[in-house]
Structure formats: C-alpha cells, structure tokens
Amino acid sequence: MKNLPKTRNIGISAHIDSGKTTLTERILFYCDMIHKIEDVRGGGGGAKMDHMELEKEKGITITSAATTVNWHGYDKNGISCTEGDGKSIKINIIDTPGHVDFTVEVERSLRVLDGAVLVLCSVSGVQAQSITVDRQMKRYSVPRLAFLNKMDRMGAGAEKGAKELREKLHHNAVLMQIPIGAEENFDGVVDLITKQAIYFDGDNGENVRIEDCPADLVELMEEKRATMIDEVAAFDDEVMEKYLEGEEPSEEELHKCVRAGVNSLELTPVYMGSAFKNKGVQPLLNAVARYLPSPVSCEKSTGIKATKEGDVKIKLDPDFEKPLVCMAFKITDEQFGQLTYTRIYQGTLNKGETIYNTRTKKKFVLVEWLE
Amino acid sequence: MVRMNSNDRENIDSAGAGDIIAMVGIDCASGDTFVADDNLLNVSCEGMHIPIPVIELSIRAKDKDQQAKMSKGLSRFRKEDPTFHVFTDEESGETRIAGMGELHLEIYVERLKREYQADVEVGAPQVNYRETIREEAAFDYTHKKQTGGSGQFGQVVGVIRPLTDDKKEREDQNFKFNNNIKGGSIPSEFIGACEKGFEDVMDKGPLAAFPLIDVEVELNDGKYHDVDSSDMAFRIASRQAMRQGISKASAVILEPFMQVQVETPEEFQGFVIGDLSSRRGLIQGSESNSGGDTIINAQVPLSEMFGYSTDLRSGSAGKASYSMEFAEYKACPSNIQESVIKAREEKLAKEE
C-alpha cells in the first residue's frame, strides 16, 4: 500500500460499441483477476464489469464499476517504468459507459482519475461521442493514451485512426506501433521504440512472443520510427539536442520523452490491437505503467478551503502522514447499505476511524463489509 | 471499507493517498469530502461538472402500495446519479423525473419495474425550457412597511446583466452575485439576505415561469433603517428589485439543442438531411466513412427529436442509425417562443 509511484488510477472511455468493456475484460484476465474470458454479448455469464442485469441484456455499460488489478509485465518478471520501477504496478480501473445519456458517469470518473485510455474503433474512427469524451478529458486535464481497437475488422487502419485523432480532436497523435498484417490477417504489432515484433499466442493471447521485426516491414518500421522520434524528442531538450546532432536516442530516453509529452497533455501516443481477438492489450498495459502519471506526480489534487475572506485553493499532498482528505465520487445503494466510492487525496483512511463529511458536518465510523 | 473488483468486495484495514476504494455504511452525496480531523471541516475537494437536465416526464404509481415502492426506488436513483432529478410539480402535485435524455429516463423507469416491482405509468417526455436576459438593466427598489409594531425597511440599487461564459467561476454556474457595497450603505450582515432574495427569483422567469439561467447581479448601493431593517426586509426588497430589473432586460426563452450524428447509406442522405431541416435542424456538414456510409452532423432542437428513431428507421429502410447528446441552450425563434408560452399558460391554467 505504501507504494504510490507504483499506482495508476485510470479510466477507459470511448464511444458506444468501440469495445472498451471487452478491453477491460481482457485486462482483468491478463492480470489474473478472472480465469475465464466472457463476452459482453451472447451466452455465458456476461462480462465481469457489466454486472447489472439490464446491462447484460442491452449489452451496454450503464454504471461504472471500479476494479483494482496488478500488472506484472509480459513475462511476470516485472516491467521497467520511468516512475515506480518494480515487479508490479497496481492499476485502479474505472469502466465508464459509452452512451451519452450516462455522461455523468464519465464526468465523475475523470474527476478522480489521473490518466485515461481513449479507446477508438479503428473502423469508424472518431465519432461524436469520442469528441464529447475528449472534451471531458480536457476539462479535467487528464493525460491520455489512445488505443485503436478492432484492428481485425474490415476497413480498419492505424494511419487513419491517428489522422482522425489529429484532425478531429486536434491531438498530437503519434503511432507507437505498426500493425503486422491487416484486417482478418492482423497478427500482432511492431513496437517502434524497441523495433521488435510482438505476437500473442495461446488460447487467449496470454503468451507474449517477441521476435525480430518481419523483413517486409523493416522499411516501414524505420520510416514510422523516425516520424515518432521527430515528434517525441521535442519533449526533452537534452534528447532533442543529441538527436539533432545525429545521435539516436536510447530506449530509456524515448520513454522519458513520451512520458513528458503525455503528462504535459501535448502528446497522445497511439497503440493498437483487437481486444476481442486477444491482441495488443499487454503492450497497452506497459504503456499505462510507463507513461501515465502516478498519484504522486499528478498535479490535479486541489482542495478548496473556506475562510472568512472567501474560498482559497489549497494543494493536497499525497502523503500518508498528513491529515486525511478524501472525496466521494460515486454512490451505489446496495441491499446492505450505501457503498461510497472514494478517492483518497491526502493521508490515510483506517478501519474503525471516525471521519467527518465536510458538507453536512456529520460524523461516521468506518466499518467492515458484512455479507 | 472495501476494495472493489467489479461486483466483488474485499475487506481492507487501511488505504492511503492516491488510492480508490469504497466505504460502507456512510450517508452522503456524490462530490462530498471527508476528513478525519475536525479542524479541516472547512476543506472540500474541487467539484465536478454536472450538466443540467434537458428532458422531463411525469411518473405515477397505480396505488398507495406501488407509490411506496416507487418512492424508494426514486430516492435511491437520485442519490446515485446527480443528473437524475425527482421533484413534485408545485402546480399539479404530480411527481416528475428529469434527466439527460429519453434513454436515461427509460432505463430508470425500467429499473423501477424490475428492481422495485413498482407498477408505474409515465407521461409524454417534455423539454426543459429555460429563460434568460439579453440586456443590462438597472434596478432601484425600496421595500417599506411601517404600520404600527415593528416595521420593515430596505432599499437595494444595482444592475443586472447577462452572465457571459468568461465571467463564470464554474462552467455550470447560472447565477452570479457581485457585492459592490462599500461604506456600509447596507450593513454586511444583510448582504447574504440580499443575495438570497435575488437568487429566489431565478426559479421562475418572467415569460413562462421557466427557471432563469445566466444572470449576473451587481449590488451597488442601498439604504437601511436602524430599527426596521431585517434579513426579511432586504430579501423581499431584493426579490422585487430583481423582478423590476428583469422586466426591463429583454428576457427570452431558451430551448435545448442536441448534437445529432446520423450514419446512413448514401442513397438516404437526401431524406436524412431534408428530415433534419424540417425539424429546424442546422446541418453542420457531412462526410463519408470507410464503409461507404455518409455521416451527417447537425444541431437540432430537442423538442423536434421526439419519435426520431421511428421516423429515421422507416425513412431509411432501417439502414440508418443515429446518436445524440445535449449541445447547448439557444434562444427560440419568436414564433416558437410564442407557442411555448401559450402551451405553458394553458398547462398552468388547467392545473389551477
């Protein structure tokens, strides 16, 4: 728990039917939270995140559900991140509904999250709802990565997806991968930083196999890699200088640049895959761990203190030793009482402790959940 | 307190800054802040953007028994979802629910039936109109009542004007009060009552009693009386002053416009555009996607979008689909404004 740099609070938002619940489902699976993959539509018990009966019936997500997962990297040997290097990263994920009528679910998730994955369908591209979600992300200054889903579908295209992000949402969208094979032959991705091909073996794509870039893609890979470096090097003066002098930036330097770009909200790295076909999800998790901010480096935690002279903004510090400040961002009324989803901004929340609601001034004691 | 894994919960003993967890058995509303130190009771976290509801409908239970079930469900939904509103219509006494779109309300009605076994009937959905002012206007009002016993006295002087986006402290702010009183022409203990008085009037606009939005009030001067001035006197004076100002500030009725996106095979493009135009839609453009379909973007008043899914389906042989969301409130054209006012008058008259 005392490992803040290794925590990510992220949201997955997108337009309806772009497959974000399917993507979340795969993330749970690869992080060993569930042992069998179930799909949103069709038989079976329904996807894990869509637990309400009505959601299962309509195949849409109405209320957002929170889930915590631990990501260990491809081979369970850990992942190197610019921040919080170590064996695993704890990711708190909020799944959000795609339908605009439930837009408040998106608002309240973004309010408390530190980073987000913007899922786009690589066939239909940027749709009206993506524009809304994007505006919401900008409102709360949420750093983001893009994931082009459904790369196995007819008419899917990575270049096209990135172009729409640039033209319709005015993102500085940069491809971090290129696809191997197209449409139904979509087979994997080439990582433009490592130049390696990544394939997804096993029944559910759980075995990541790393190979050299296929010979017929080397030329394209080098071309796209150069474009990517041109864009990202600008986010670090030192790297930029070296690069202009003809020296190729190292992998670590590139990670550093991408991270700076993402956190300044001026860069949207683009990843791709097909959640349904179990391809491309693990590299996205690596990117979440590497580039999205931890609660420590996130700048969004502001509080408001009412004083006689009016309201003043105060900085909340993600320090366990400081006095507790936390915010209820979502409430569900369960059979056994109210469940209050809470983001802790400062201090530590302990069982048995007395806490105060600062609006109503009411006192509460934190209790255990009894089934 | 628990950690959530979708619908499964795991009890935990503590959690630190940066974490997201769930608390059990706590009574609060979305957006509330909690602290453990009672010296921090004046601290709150920055709020979130809550859009205003654009659509509402009446809801009625079949009998007393059903009424109890319905109330239970509605009070839960209201607590969980800040964009879902439940209120009793003052004039007719009926229960009304309001939200962000037809589907939004439909889902809650369905959930009342399924989760609470409440047998309910709903009325036709209605658009939430608003009113605002277009011009600046001055006010100067004295409330005076000195007929034996303790009297009432308060005078307020100032200006009202449209509240523009750049002056808003929050995106969803609809009313702003600026106190420019210096030198105590109104004692500071009465300023709060003045603000309340001005804000009271925001509930009902002058044209058709729809709520007012985007009004800025500037209180510049006033007078008080040592004995006869009170909170109540200033609140009444401010209400009257606000009404006086609004009556001179060119009030208009606003209607919600939706951002509509229609995806259709090219052959039905003409139909879709023609149909949207006949619904007073402003076509913003069209483009084709990789599948060869045409995507049409338009802004259309919500009042014209009822029944759209049926019309679109039949006009395109079921091949076109659409999505829509609230875009913004815009002033009604004058002919529409007149019919909205007339319909409202008839409704209010009938309820009396």
Side-chain angles (χ1 to χ4, degrees):
Chain A
M1 153 191 144
K2 308 270 173 192
N3 224 339
L4 272 189
K6 290 186 196 172
T7 300
R8 301 290 178 272
N9 293 312
I10 66 160
I12 298 181
S13 16
H15 60 79
I16 197 160
D17 271 348
S18 61
K20 64 193 173 312
T21 303
T22 309
L23 173 64
T24 311
E25 202 71 2
R26 295 308 184 272
I27 292 175
L28 296 190
F29 181 78
Y30 298 132
C31 294
D32 295 332
M33 294 302 295
I34 50 170
H35 302 290
K36 190 166 141 250
I37 285 179
E38 299 205 55
D39 283 304
V40 184
R41 291 198 172 80
K48 178 92 174 171
M49 297 288 277
D50 283 352
H51 50 78
M52 207 186 285
E53 190 190 335
L54 206 59
E55 298 188 352
K56 283 177 185 164
E57 225 169 82
K58 298 209 170 190
I60 58 172
T61 310
I62 298 167
T63 51
S64 64
T67 278
T68 302
V69 301
N70 289 297
W71 173 238
H72 303 270
Y74 295 152
D75 49 7
K76 318 252 152 154
N77 285 332
I79 157 161
S80 83
C81 314
T82 328
E83 190 182 0
D85 242 2
K87 289 286 177 204
S88 78
I89 290 282
K90 180 170 90 182
I91 307 177
N92 292 319
I93 302 173
I94 300 267
D95 186 31
T96 53
H99 197 281
V100 289
D101 284 6
F102 298 93
T103 186
V104 70
E105 297 287 345
V106 185
E107 293 276 350
R108 60 174 148 215
S109 317
L110 293 178
R111 168 65 186 79
V112 298
L113 294 171
D114 305 324
V117 176
L118 181 61
V119 184
L120 297 177
C121 168
S122 58
V123 183
S124 54
V126 171
Q127 297 186 350
Q129 171 73 358
S130 327
I131 297 171
T132 308
V133 169
D134 187 66
R135 194 172 57 229
Q136 290 170 322
M137 287 189 184
K138 282 177 183 147
R139 179 180 297 140
Y140 298 103
S141 305
V142 180
R144 50 219 187 278
L145 311 175
F147 183 71
L148 299 174
N149 198 15
K150 305 194 182 180
M151 284 294 290
D152 58 314
R153 296 283 185 89
M154 273 245 300
E159 285 292 342
K160 195 184 67 185
K163 189 169 158 240
E164 293 216 342
L165 277 170
R166 280 192 295 270
E167 288 176 0
K168 292 195 182 164
L169 301 182
H170 313 292
H171 280 212
N172 181 15
V174 175
L175 288 182
M176 301 303 291
Q177 303 169 331
I178 54 170
I180 302 172
E183 300 182 345
E184 59 189 306
N185 297 318
F186 174 69
D187 205 20
V189 296
V190 179
D191 184 320
L192 293 180
I193 289 185
T194 63
K195 305 188 188 185
Q196 286 167 325
I198 308 173
Y199 298 96
F200 307 89
D201 296 345
D203 290 346
N204 298 304
E206 65 272 32
N207 300 322
V208 174
R209 174 164 52 91
I210 309 242
E211 305 243 342
D212 288 338
C213 177
D216 57 335
L217 285 177
V218 169
E219 199 181 321
L220 180 70
M221 181 272 286
E222 291 292 357
E223 180 199 325
K224 296 293 170 199
R225 187 170 197 269
T227 312
M228 181 272 292
I229 297 177
D230 278 347
E231 292 289 343
V232 308
F235 293 102
D236 187 297
D237 293 344
E238 223 172 283
V239 177
M240 188 68 192
E241 222 164 277
K242 271 187 177 170
Y243 180 58
L244 288 176
E245 281 163 20
E247 192 182 327
E248 183 158 311
S250 69
E251 284 180 26
E252 280 316 311
E253 282 171 334
L254 288 173
H255 288 321
K256 195 169 129 199
C257 291
V258 175
R259 184 156 193 282
V262 168
N263 285 286
S264 68
L265 306 179
E266 283 170 28
L267 176 72
T268 307
V270 181
Y271 297 83
M272 60 200 67
S274 163
F276 184 67
K277 292 281 170 68
N278 309 310
K279 292 186 198 320
V281 178
Q282 296 95 325
L284 176 70
L285 284 170
N286 272 1
V288 166
R290 280 198 179 106
Y291 309 131
L292 289 179
S294 77
V296 185
S297 59
C298 179
E299 300 270 310
K300 286 201 307 170
S301 29
T302 3
I304 295 163
K305 192 173 177 179
T307 67
K308 277 182 195 146
E309 290 77 41
D311 292 352
V312 249
K313 286 195 174 182
I314 53 167
K315 174 104 179 76
L316 298 176
D317 197 356
D319 182 336
F320 294 117
E321 306 304 326
K322 291 211 166 162
L324 171 80
V325 178
C326 62
M327 175 180 164
F329 65 96
K330 181 183 166 68
I331 286 158
T332 60
D333 207 355
E334 309 278 323
Q335 214 175 340
F336 305 97
Q338 180 174 317
L339 200 58
T340 308
Y341 290 78
T342 308
R343 160 83 196 243
I344 307 169
Y345 283 101
Q346 182 174 287
T348 307
L349 191 60
N350 296 307
K351 192 174 79 182
E353 191 170 34
T354 304
I355 57 168
Y356 300 86
N357 180 330
T358 66
R359 182 178 57 90
T360 62
K361 317 291 180 207
K362 273 194 203 157
K363 236 198 234 189
F364 298 95
V365 177
L366 277 176
V367 295
E368 227 173 81
W369 178 267
L370 301 170
E371 288 298 336
Chain B
M1 51 195 285
V2 291
R3 180 170 302 293
M4 301 297 297
N5 296 313
S6 191
N7 213 24
D8 306 328
R9 314 172 173 88
E10 173 200 340
N11 272 302
I12 49 171
D13 292 336
S14 73
D19 216 342
I20 289 178
I21 50 102
M23 304 191 288
V24 183
I26 288 201
D27 187 36
C28 68
S30 310
D32 282 358
T33 300
F34 288 91
V35 296
D37 181 343
D38 57 10
N39 290 320
L40 292 178
L41 283 176
N42 58 347
V43 169
S44 58
C45 293
E46 269 187 314
M48 47 194 157
H49 173 75
I50 305 293
I52 55 177
V54 294
I55 188 167
E56 63 174 71
L57 47 81
S58 65
I59 184 162
R60 193 172 52 243
K62 296 253 165 69
D63 55 46
K64 268 252 157 70
D65 213 29
Q66 303 295 331
Q67 174 79 34
K69 291 179 187 167
M70 178 180 97
S71 305
K72 203 171 155 213
L74 289 179
S75 81
R76 169 185 165 186
F77 299 151
R78 170 158 67 176
K79 209 171 193 185
E80 291 183 359
D81 180 350
T83 57
F84 179 69
H85 299 251
V86 182
F87 55 97
T88 309
D89 192 313
E90 266 178 49
E91 286 110 16
S92 65
E94 64 186 4
T95 304
R96 302 187 72 81
I97 55 176
M100 300 312 299
E102 272 184 288
L103 180 71
H104 189 211
L105 299 184
E106 210 176 278
I107 296 268
Y108 283 121
V109 171
E110 192 62 35
R111 283 182 63 187
L112 279 179
K113 291 180 181 162
R114 287 191 196 194
E115 292 168 39
Y116 291 87
Q117 286 80 43
D119 200 355
V120 294
E121 277 173 1
V122 295
Q126 282 172 5
V127 168
N128 272 346
Y129 292 97
R130 291 285 184 272
E131 297 182 27
T132 192
I133 52 170
R134 279 297 146 100
E135 279 168 37
E136 185 171 303
F139 58 80
D140 180 347
Y141 189 88
T142 308
H143 174 66
K144 193 158 54 169
K145 212 168 133 191
Q146 279 148 324
T147 47
S150 60
Q152 294 179 15
F153 183 89
Q155 185 193 10
V156 290
V157 181
V159 179
I160 63 165
R161 64 173 71 91
L163 175 62
T164 49
D165 284 348
D166 56 310
K167 285 196 197 149
K168 291 185 182 180
E169 285 145 9
R170 304 183 314 274
E171 208 172 332
D172 46 2
Q173 185 174 31
N174 285 319
F175 170 77
K176 188 173 176 182
F177 174 72
N178 301 308
N179 173 24
N180 292 342
I181 299 281
K182 291 193 183 83
S185 57
I186 297 177
S188 60
E189 67 255 40
F190 297 131
I191 299 294
C194 293
E195 177 169 3
K196 277 203 196 89
F198 291 116
E199 198 165 3
D200 285 343
V201 181
M202 295 294 288
D203 286 349
K204 272 186 186 161
L207 298 174
F210 291 116
L212 277 157
I213 60 170
D214 294 344
V215 179
E216 182 177 16
V217 175
E218 208 175 277
L219 180 60
N220 294 328
D221 202 2
K223 275 201 191 85
Y224 73 104
H225 184 278
D226 280 336
V227 180
D228 291 344
S229 282
S230 63
D231 273 357
M232 190 41 86
F234 273 104
R235 190 158 169 179
I236 293 171
S238 300
R239 274 188 212 164
Q240 293 302 339
M242 180 86 164
R243 293 199 179 104
Q244 183 193 57
I246 287 170
S247 68
K248 296 185 291 184
S250 309
V252 287
I253 290 191
L254 303 173
E255 60 177 340
F257 267 67
M258 308 302 278
Q259 186 69 46
V260 179
Q261 187 172 68
V262 186
E263 199 173 329
T264 173
E266 211 189 329
E267 55 195 297
F268 301 113
Q269 185 181 350
F271 160 77
V272 171
I273 290 179
D275 181 59
L276 287 174
S277 303
S278 75
R279 294 173 190 268
R280 296 195 281 128
L282 311 164
I283 310 292
Q284 294 165 314
S286 65
E287 56 190 292
S288 52
N289 71 6
S290 55
D293 284 348
T294 302
I295 293 170
I296 297 152
N297 289 300
Q299 276 198 359
V300 190
L302 175 61
S303 61
E304 305 282 343
M305 287 304 285
F306 293 126
Y308 185 63
S309 57
T310 316
D311 293 356
L312 182 67
R313 214 178 301 130
S314 56
S316 68
K319 286 182 181 150
S321 62
Y322 81 106
S323 69
M324 75 171 180
E325 63 171 312
F326 171 65
E328 59 180 329
Y329 270 99
K330 286 187 189 176
C332 292
S334 58
N335 59 327
I336 302 289
Q337 173 157 326
E338 273 163 35
S339 63
V340 169
I341 292 175
K342 197 155 162 260
R344 178 80 164 171
E345 271 169 5
E346 278 164 15
K347 180 174 173 276
L348 296 181
K350 209 167 80 191
E351 281 160 2
E352 261 168 20

